[in-house]
Amino acid sequence: MTMDLTGWLVSGLAVLLTGISKSGMGGALGGLAVPFMAIWLGPGEALAVMLPVLIAMDLAGIRAWRGKAAREELWRLVPAALVGIVLGSLVFGMLSERTVKGVLGTIAVVFAGHRLLRRVPLEASPGPSGRIFPWLCGVGSGVTSTLAHAGGPPVLIYLLTRRLSRVPHVATLVYFFTFINLAKLPFYIGIGLFSRDSLLMSLAFLPLVPVGVWLGTRLLAKIPERPFFLFATAALGISGIVLLRDALMV
């Protein structure tokens, strides 16, 4: 497991952007690091390197946003996501990463485009009611997070319809992914993803974690509600385009 200098620099920048996105910008760009790392590493190795880094980001985010998450939304999403993690672990290696990214990217682009083209204010757009929609989004997030650390789009699709202000929106995402990434840890250990080299590489990226989290929280404090939701929706669309690009690459 080796990377050249360019790989380290590009992956380090992707880790930094992930920290900023997860802690202050809605989390839609949180899945960028794995595709960039996978240029130099295998997909499984990139997943193994990023999980400890993501957990460190989550724990730092919990400290920054303690007590500000929407608990009722977590109660809807987390149990469904745990089911998704089990499903994702069962099909790991059976369902191609290309298929997962293609489907997820299409959904993200369509949803973001629909929201951006509507005349209803983004921060006031209602979403589907009932129990099925949050369960679908939670299970989807658990599956895609397990297979590709790309659980952001499904849960973001749900939260963007919930009329939360920007602080509880971000805090809820932070808490959600803290639970989810910790829950993935024993499954990754069970399927043998981690190695000495992957853990050493994770350790090398850890100094970037507090920098990204600090920048994200500072940015959120300076961004008004409407620009925040405009950016979060656009970022969701961008993440969908990146996922579709990855799916179409041979």
Side-chain angles (χ1 to χ4, degrees):
M1 181 183 293
T2 58
M3 286 196 299
D4 57 21
L5 179 60
T6 301
W8 279 101
L9 292 175
V10 171
S11 297
L13 179 60
V15 168
L16 187 63
L17 290 174
T18 298
I20 295 171
S21 176
K22 283 173 67 66
S23 62
M25 302 305 297
L29 299 181
L32 290 180
V34 169
F36 280 118
M37 282 187 186
I39 296 173
W40 290 271
L41 306 175
E45 293 172 333
L47 290 174
V49 169
M50 275 306 297
L51 184 58
V53 178
L54 291 173
I55 290 173
M57 289 177 182
D58 295 330
L59 295 176
I62 286 282
R63 183 178 180 182
W65 300 115
R66 184 179 302 168
K68 297 179 180 178
R71 293 185 180 183
E72 64 278 9
E73 304 300 352
L74 291 173
W75 279 111
R76 293 186 180 101
L77 291 168
V78 170
L82 294 177
V83 173
I85 290 171
V86 174
L87 293 175
S89 300
L90 291 174
V91 301
F92 198 98
M94 298 170 54
L95 190 62
S96 74
E97 186 178 354
R98 182 176 183 177
T99 300
V100 173
K101 288 185 174 182
V103 173
L104 184 59
T106 300
I107 294 172
V109 169
V110 170
F111 180 85
H114 174 67
R115 282 179 61 84
L116 289 172
L117 293 174
R118 292 180 66 186
R119 295 184 178 180
V120 179
L122 293 173
E123 64 272 27
S125 302
S129 58
R131 298 180 180 180
I132 296 178
F133 183 55
W135 265 87
L136 287 175
C137 293
V139 170
S141 183
V143 170
T144 55
S145 183
T146 302
L147 296 177
H149 288 328
V155 71
L156 190 58
I157 285 172
Y158 173 72
L159 288 179
L160 282 173
T161 67
R162 300 306 294 168
R163 300 183 179 182
L164 299 174
S165 62
R166 67 188 189 283
V167 170
H169 174 94
V170 171
T172 302
L173 284 167
V174 168
Y175 274 74
F176 175 80
F177 281 110
T178 300
F179 292 127
I180 297 319
N181 286 327
L182 287 172
K184 288 189 301 190
L185 190 57
F187 290 98
Y188 276 30
I189 293 173
I191 59 180
L193 274 187
F194 295 112
S195 67
R196 178 178 176 273
D197 288 343
S198 73
L199 293 174
L200 288 174
M201 194 171 288
S202 300
L203 186 63
F205 286 119
L206 285 183
L208 295 173
V209 169
V211 179
V213 171
W214 183 84
L215 289 172
T217 55
R218 293 303 179 273
L219 282 173
L220 183 64
K222 297 180 180 298
I223 299 177
E225 292 284 324
R226 180 165 178 77
F228 169 81
F229 285 102
L230 178 62
F231 177 88
T233 305
L236 175 63
I238 292 170
S239 69
I241 292 171
V242 172
L243 289 168
L244 284 173
R245 184 208 62 183
D246 292 343
L248 294 173
M249 289 179 64
V250 178

